[in-house]
Amino acid sequence: QLHYTPTGTEQKYQSSVGLIFAKEPPKAEVKTRAITQRLFAIPPGDDNYQVVSKTTFAKDTVLYSMFPHMHLRGKSFEFRAIYPDGKTEILLRIPHYDFNWQPYYYLETPKLLPRGTRIHVTAVFDNSANNPFNPNPDATVFWGPQSWDEMMLGWFDVAAPAGQQKDVSVTGGER
């Protein structure tokens, strides 16, 4: 998905895709999924507005990477695992989110998430005048595609045995 923002002048862009064909069938499929929450309204002036969402894995799943995404009011972002035995683990914490620096975070060693593991994502937004990137601290901010809107997306890459990816169920969108 690409986001284009108007600049006032005509622009040119050409997308491209590179493909490498495997010589043998894959043993596993890596899929990108998202934990998201689209139902929020960040009040004007609020400097610590939290949006939370979660998902639960129906099968054992291997986690490879995470990619938090917010826009200009993004303040912090966290992925937290809650395992079936009740133990919790912070998988990724970004205490100072920066819209201009949004890398994928790859785990050094892929992590097995046993069936029943829940992932909670928490995004915090700063819609105050103290946020130098905030285009309008007097506005109530909703989900939207433009940078002056907001998004709350916790992208992640997981793998399951080839042909069983549909069993890696992701539920969420809860607040």
Side-chain angles (χ1 to χ4, degrees), residues 79-152:
F79 285 81
R80 179 183 299 266
I82 302 171
Y83 296 103
D85 65 4
K87 289 181 12 182
T88 66
E89 177 183 15
I90 295 171
L91 300 171
L92 177 65
R93 177 182 286 153
I94 300 169
H96 304 288
Y97 183 84
D98 185 339
F99 176 70
N100 296 305
W101 190 62
Q102 296 187 53
Y104 256 90
Y105 293 86
Y106 294 95
L107 297 174
E108 188 172 318
T109 303
K111 181 169 231 21
L112 175 65
L113 301 175
R115 175 179 168 248
T117 298
R118 294 184 318 256
I119 303 291
H120 286 224
V121 293
T122 303
V124 179
F125 297 90
D126 181 351
N127 192 23
S128 74
N130 293 328
N131 176 353
F133 304 107
N134 190 348
N136 185 356
D138 297 322
T140 300
V141 182
F142 302 95
W143 176 278
Q146 298 297 332
S147 297
W148 54 81
D149 299 317
E150 269 306 336
M151 287 189 171
M152 188 279 205

Side-chain angles (χ1 to χ4, degrees), residues 48-65:
N48 206 45
Y49 186 82
Q50 283 194 7
V51 178
V52 178
S53 191
K54 58 188 170 182
T55 194
T56 302
F57 292 98
K59 296 249 182 196
D60 289 354
T61 305
V62 179
L63 177 68
Y64 285 88
S65 65

Side-chain angles (χ1 to χ4, degrees), residues 11 44 59 76 116 151 163 165:
Q11 304 290 313
K59 296 249 182 196
S76 65
M151 287 189 171
Q165 191 66 38

